[in-house]
Amino acid sequence: MEIRAAVLHEAHAPLRVETLTLDPPRAGEVLVRVAAAGVCHSDVRLADGDLGDGRWPTVLGHEGAGVVEAVGPGVDGLVPGDPVAFCFVPPCRACGQCAAGRSNLCETASASAWAGTMLNGTTRLHLADGRPVRHFNFVSCFAERCVVPAASAVPLPAGLPLWQAALLGCAVVTGFGAVRNAARVALGESVCVIGCGGIGQQMVAAARMAGAGRIVAVDRDPAKLALARARGATDAVDASAEDPLPAVLRLVPGGVDHALEAVGNPATIRLAWDVLRPGATAIVVGIAPRGATVAVPALELLSEKGLRGSYYGSGNATVEIARLGRLMADGRLEVADAVSHLTDLDGIEAAFGRLRRGSGARTVAVIDAALAGAPEPAQVAAAWG
Ligand SMILES: [Zn+2]
Ligand SMILES: [Zn+2]
């Protein structure tokens, strides 16, 4: 079938909305009509060539929600009409990482994700001239429809607004998992969240739900800091106005119990290290450009400080996306406030510009307005000026 999609033809080139051919789902795959897609910094990283060469032409978009339209042979548990959120690491349940309970690091999924193919090494997307188009982490939801592995389509409770559910499969599961599974924040502990964009806002909410005592939000944008406060941050540090390191240490003398970095920049990763108390660990979620390195004072290792990454929530993403979706449907997890902009396929490039500038929280591209159930874009943007 023919679909409209936002295509990245090469690094540093703007996305081009054009008509592509999408093949039907093969064994173990499903066809999803996309309702809405979140725009994430990882999309920009790939578009800027920061994740390596040769991954284009491609259709980006790895966070979104839609409705199943067709299922391929051998698919159980999904039928046409099911609302789903995308999971960009479909676990194989057979590799060493999956067997060890680290399905977010599934080796099988990782290999295909880097190659930009489906699990059998081929693509379902083609340019008008027949050339293959790579998938982005199996999802490629900056498009009217996509074909994904069945494990990448997580069923959602009926009635959950899909423009909000769109955030489940990256920002929400990554942010909540970093706090719960990687940091394991305990009651009353202090947390510093560095970078209050799409994922940082979810980390603030997760820290609040985990019962953190002090939650210090750090960003360069006062509007994002105001949102972080509304979502549970007890303190805000504007890094555009003051040096954030002494500011955080003034608020939490001796250092914080947990620092969570959601920028992917060597300077902010170092900041996460520097704000720690002895014995604490910094969790890095932000994706740094390939080749970037971080140096820490080796002597401080004696104080048992740690630095670790957290990828895709450090847990069982398909299970957690389903649970987080249930919390949203029950009104116990607010997500709409973290959406600063609504746009459409043509507006994703402008959302990339906002991410490069660090302005706004999450942009959601509404691909099918009726399915997404979204408000008018002006209603959302008004709060952000
Ligand atoms: Zn993402
Ligand atoms: Zn696996």
PDB file of all heavy atoms in Angstrom, residues 164 172 176 202 205 208-209 231 327-328 331-338:
ATOM      1  N   GLN A 164      -1.889  10.804  23.909  1.00  0.00           N
ATOM      2  CA  GLN A 164      -1.141  10.731  25.162  1.00  0.00           C
ATOM      3  C   GLN A 164      -0.404   9.384  25.265  1.00  0.00           C
ATOM      4  O   GLN A 164       0.752   9.325  25.696  1.00  0.00           O
ATOM      5  CB  GLN A 164      -2.082  10.898  26.350  1.00  0.00           C
ATOM      6  CG  GLN A 164      -2.770  12.251  26.381  1.00  0.00           C
ATOM      7  CD  GLN A 164      -3.761  12.374  27.534  1.00  0.00           C
ATOM      8  OE1 GLN A 164      -3.598  11.757  28.576  1.00  0.00           O
ATOM      9  NE2 GLN A 164      -4.796  13.170  27.335  1.00  0.00           N
ATOM     10  N   VAL A 172       7.967   7.787  28.571  1.00  0.00           N
ATOM     11  CA  VAL A 172       7.405   7.353  29.850  1.00  0.00           C
ATOM     12  C   VAL A 172       8.126   6.109  30.367  1.00  0.00           C
ATOM     13  O   VAL A 172       8.591   6.075  31.509  1.00  0.00           O
ATOM     14  CB  VAL A 172       5.881   7.113  29.721  1.00  0.00           C
ATOM     15  CG1 VAL A 172       5.320   6.574  31.037  1.00  0.00           C
ATOM     16  CG2 VAL A 172       5.167   8.414  29.352  1.00  0.00           C
ATOM     17  N   PHE A 176      10.430   6.422  33.693  1.00  0.00           N
ATOM     18  CA  PHE A 176      10.012   5.680  34.888  1.00  0.00           C
ATOM     19  C   PHE A 176      10.973   4.539  35.198  1.00  0.00           C
ATOM     20  O   PHE A 176      11.306   4.295  36.352  1.00  0.00           O
ATOM     21  CB  PHE A 176       8.567   5.157  34.733  1.00  0.00           C
ATOM     22  CG  PHE A 176       7.548   6.152  35.197  1.00  0.00           C
ATOM     23  CD1 PHE A 176       7.251   7.256  34.423  1.00  0.00           C
ATOM     24  CD2 PHE A 176       6.916   6.008  36.424  1.00  0.00           C
ATOM     25  CE1 PHE A 176       6.338   8.213  34.854  1.00  0.00           C
ATOM     26  CE2 PHE A 176       5.997   6.954  36.869  1.00  0.00           C
ATOM     27  CZ  PHE A 176       5.709   8.057  36.078  1.00  0.00           C
ATOM     28  N   GLN A 202       9.317  12.930  32.775  1.00  0.00           N
ATOM     29  CA  GLN A 202       8.796  11.654  33.275  1.00  0.00           C
ATOM     30  C   GLN A 202       9.621  11.177  34.478  1.00  0.00           C
ATOM     31  O   GLN A 202       9.084  10.550  35.392  1.00  0.00           O
ATOM     32  CB  GLN A 202       8.802  10.597  32.166  1.00  0.00           C
ATOM     33  CG  GLN A 202       7.985  11.001  30.935  1.00  0.00           C
ATOM     34  CD  GLN A 202       6.539  11.335  31.271  1.00  0.00           C
ATOM     35  OE1 GLN A 202       5.952  10.768  32.187  1.00  0.00           O
ATOM     36  NE2 GLN A 202       5.969  12.280  30.533  1.00  0.00           N
ATOM     37  N   ALA A 205       8.280  12.952  37.506  1.00  0.00           N
ATOM     38  CA  ALA A 205       7.017  12.353  37.960  1.00  0.00           C
ATOM     39  C   ALA A 205       7.265  11.000  38.628  1.00  0.00           C
ATOM     40  O   ALA A 205       6.650  10.674  39.659  1.00  0.00           O
ATOM     41  CB  ALA A 205       6.060  12.197  36.774  1.00  0.00           C
ATOM     42  N   ARG A 208       8.654  11.492  42.098  1.00  0.00           N
ATOM     43  CA  ARG A 208       7.588  11.881  43.018  1.00  0.00           C
ATOM     44  C   ARG A 208       6.768  10.655  43.421  1.00  0.00           C
ATOM     45  O   ARG A 208       6.502  10.430  44.606  1.00  0.00           O
ATOM     46  CB  ARG A 208       6.675  12.933  42.364  1.00  0.00           C
ATOM     47  CG  ARG A 208       5.476  13.302  43.231  1.00  0.00           C
ATOM     48  CD  ARG A 208       4.567  14.321  42.552  1.00  0.00           C
ATOM     49  NE  ARG A 208       4.131  13.929  41.215  1.00  0.00           N
ATOM     50  CZ  ARG A 208       3.193  13.045  40.946  1.00  0.00           C
ATOM     51  NH1 ARG A 208       2.564  12.436  41.927  1.00  0.00           N
ATOM     52  NH2 ARG A 208       2.867  12.758  39.696  1.00  0.00           N
ATOM     53  N   MET A 209       6.408   9.827  42.426  1.00  0.00           N
ATOM     54  CA  MET A 209       5.603   8.641  42.738  1.00  0.00           C
ATOM     55  C   MET A 209       6.381   7.645  43.601  1.00  0.00           C
ATOM     56  O   MET A 209       5.778   6.878  44.355  1.00  0.00           O
ATOM     57  CB  MET A 209       5.126   7.963  41.448  1.00  0.00           C
ATOM     58  CG  MET A 209       3.966   8.708  40.804  1.00  0.00           C
ATOM     59  SD  MET A 209       3.467   8.019  39.206  1.00  0.00           S
ATOM     60  CE  MET A 209       2.641   6.524  39.714  1.00  0.00           C
ATOM     61  N   ARG A 231       5.087  19.083  38.156  1.00  0.00           N
ATOM     62  CA  ARG A 231       5.034  17.622  38.148  1.00  0.00           C
ATOM     63  C   ARG A 231       5.688  17.010  39.385  1.00  0.00           C
ATOM     64  O   ARG A 231       5.794  15.796  39.470  1.00  0.00           O
ATOM     65  CB  ARG A 231       5.709  17.070  36.886  1.00  0.00           C
ATOM     66  CG  ARG A 231       5.227  17.717  35.612  1.00  0.00           C
ATOM     67  CD  ARG A 231       5.714  16.943  34.385  1.00  0.00           C
ATOM     68  NE  ARG A 231       4.619  16.138  33.896  1.00  0.00           N
ATOM     69  CZ  ARG A 231       4.680  14.856  33.612  1.00  0.00           C
ATOM     70  NH1 ARG A 231       5.804  14.187  33.796  1.00  0.00           N
ATOM     71  NH2 ARG A 231       3.632  14.209  33.183  1.00  0.00           N
ATOM     72  N   LEU A 327      -2.118   2.564  34.251  1.00  0.00           N
ATOM     73  CA  LEU A 327      -2.120   3.688  35.200  1.00  0.00           C
ATOM     74  C   LEU A 327      -2.676   4.950  34.543  1.00  0.00           C
ATOM     75  O   LEU A 327      -3.438   5.705  35.145  1.00  0.00           O
ATOM     76  CB  LEU A 327      -0.694   3.965  35.710  1.00  0.00           C
ATOM     77  CG  LEU A 327      -0.129   3.004  36.743  1.00  0.00           C
ATOM     78  CD1 LEU A 327       1.323   3.376  37.056  1.00  0.00           C
ATOM     79  CD2 LEU A 327      -0.954   3.032  38.031  1.00  0.00           C
ATOM     80  N   MET A 328      -2.287   5.178  33.269  1.00  0.00           N
ATOM     81  CA  MET A 328      -2.805   6.354  32.565  1.00  0.00           C
ATOM     82  C   MET A 328      -4.307   6.255  32.392  1.00  0.00           C
ATOM     83  O   MET A 328      -5.047   7.220  32.614  1.00  0.00           O
ATOM     84  CB  MET A 328      -2.126   6.476  31.192  1.00  0.00           C
ATOM     85  CG  MET A 328      -0.723   7.049  31.252  1.00  0.00           C
ATOM     86  SD  MET A 328       0.058   7.029  29.615  1.00  0.00           S
ATOM     87  CE  MET A 328      -0.943   8.217  28.732  1.00  0.00           C
ATOM     88  N   GLY A 331      -6.304   7.160  35.289  1.00  0.00           N
ATOM     89  CA  GLY A 331      -6.174   8.538  35.759  1.00  0.00           C
ATOM     90  C   GLY A 331      -5.134   8.719  36.842  1.00  0.00           C
ATOM     91  O   GLY A 331      -5.142   9.714  37.563  1.00  0.00           O
ATOM     92  N   ARG A 332      -4.212   7.772  36.966  1.00  0.00           N
ATOM     93  CA  ARG A 332      -3.217   7.862  38.037  1.00  0.00           C
ATOM     94  C   ARG A 332      -1.838   8.252  37.522  1.00  0.00           C
ATOM     95  O   ARG A 332      -0.877   8.283  38.286  1.00  0.00           O
ATOM     96  CB  ARG A 332      -3.162   6.525  38.786  1.00  0.00           C
ATOM     97  CG  ARG A 332      -4.528   6.188  39.364  1.00  0.00           C
ATOM     98  CD  ARG A 332      -4.521   4.881  40.093  1.00  0.00           C
ATOM     99  NE  ARG A 332      -3.614   4.928  41.239  1.00  0.00           N
ATOM    100  CZ  ARG A 332      -3.212   3.856  41.910  1.00  0.00           C
ATOM    101  NH1 ARG A 332      -3.617   2.664  41.526  1.00  0.00           N
ATOM    102  NH2 ARG A 332      -2.409   3.974  42.928  1.00  0.00           N
ATOM    103  N   LEU A 333      -1.747   8.500  36.247  1.00  0.00           N
ATOM    104  CA  LEU A 333      -0.473   8.929  35.657  1.00  0.00           C
ATOM    105  C   LEU A 333      -0.789   9.969  34.588  1.00  0.00           C
ATOM    106  O   LEU A 333      -1.329   9.645  33.534  1.00  0.00           O
ATOM    107  CB  LEU A 333       0.247   7.713  35.048  1.00  0.00           C
ATOM    108  CG  LEU A 333       1.557   7.985  34.321  1.00  0.00           C
ATOM    109  CD1 LEU A 333       2.565   8.641  35.244  1.00  0.00           C
ATOM    110  CD2 LEU A 333       2.119   6.681  33.778  1.00  0.00           C
ATOM    111  N   GLU A 334      -0.477  11.207  34.908  1.00  0.00           N
ATOM    112  CA  GLU A 334      -0.790  12.328  34.018  1.00  0.00           C
ATOM    113  C   GLU A 334       0.334  12.481  32.998  1.00  0.00           C
ATOM    114  O   GLU A 334       1.508  12.517  33.368  1.00  0.00           O
ATOM    115  CB  GLU A 334      -0.939  13.595  34.852  1.00  0.00           C
ATOM    116  CG  GLU A 334      -1.209  14.858  34.080  1.00  0.00           C
ATOM    117  CD  GLU A 334      -2.584  14.899  33.447  1.00  0.00           C
ATOM    118  OE1 GLU A 334      -3.469  14.109  33.847  1.00  0.00           O
ATOM    119  OE2 GLU A 334      -2.782  15.726  32.540  1.00  0.00           O
ATOM    120  N   VAL A 335      -0.014  12.566  31.720  1.00  0.00           N
ATOM    121  CA  VAL A 335       0.994  12.698  30.674  1.00  0.00           C
ATOM    122  C   VAL A 335       0.732  13.920  29.797  1.00  0.00           C
ATOM    123  O   VAL A 335       1.648  14.543  29.276  1.00  0.00           O
ATOM    124  CB  VAL A 335       1.036  11.405  29.818  1.00  0.00           C
ATOM    125  CG1 VAL A 335       1.809  11.623  28.531  1.00  0.00           C
ATOM    126  CG2 VAL A 335       1.685  10.274  30.607  1.00  0.00           C
ATOM    127  N   ALA A 336      -0.554  14.295  29.679  1.00  0.00           N
ATOM    128  CA  ALA A 336      -0.913  15.367  28.751  1.00  0.00           C
ATOM    129  C   ALA A 336      -0.147  16.657  29.034  1.00  0.00           C
ATOM    130  O   ALA A 336       0.227  17.385  28.106  1.00  0.00           O
ATOM    131  CB  ALA A 336      -2.419  15.632  28.830  1.00  0.00           C
ATOM    132  N   ASP A 337       0.119  16.940  30.309  1.00  0.00           N
ATOM    133  CA  ASP A 337       0.795  18.194  30.643  1.00  0.00           C
ATOM    134  C   ASP A 337       2.233  18.233  30.132  1.00  0.00           C
ATOM    135  O   ASP A 337       2.817  19.303  30.000  1.00  0.00           O
ATOM    136  CB  ASP A 337       0.772  18.408  32.160  1.00  0.00           C
ATOM    137  CG  ASP A 337       1.503  17.298  32.899  1.00  0.00           C
ATOM    138  OD1 ASP A 337       1.353  16.132  32.511  1.00  0.00           O
ATOM    139  OD2 ASP A 337       2.245  17.602  33.852  1.00  0.00           O
ATOM    140  N   ALA A 338       2.816  17.073  29.860  1.00  0.00           N
ATOM    141  CA  ALA A 338       4.199  17.028  29.381  1.00  0.00           C
ATOM    142  C   ALA A 338       4.293  17.215  27.868  1.00  0.00           C
ATOM    143  O   ALA A 338       5.380  17.211  27.314  1.00  0.00           O
ATOM    144  CB  ALA A 338       4.855  15.706  29.777  1.00  0.00           C
TER     145      ALA A 338
END
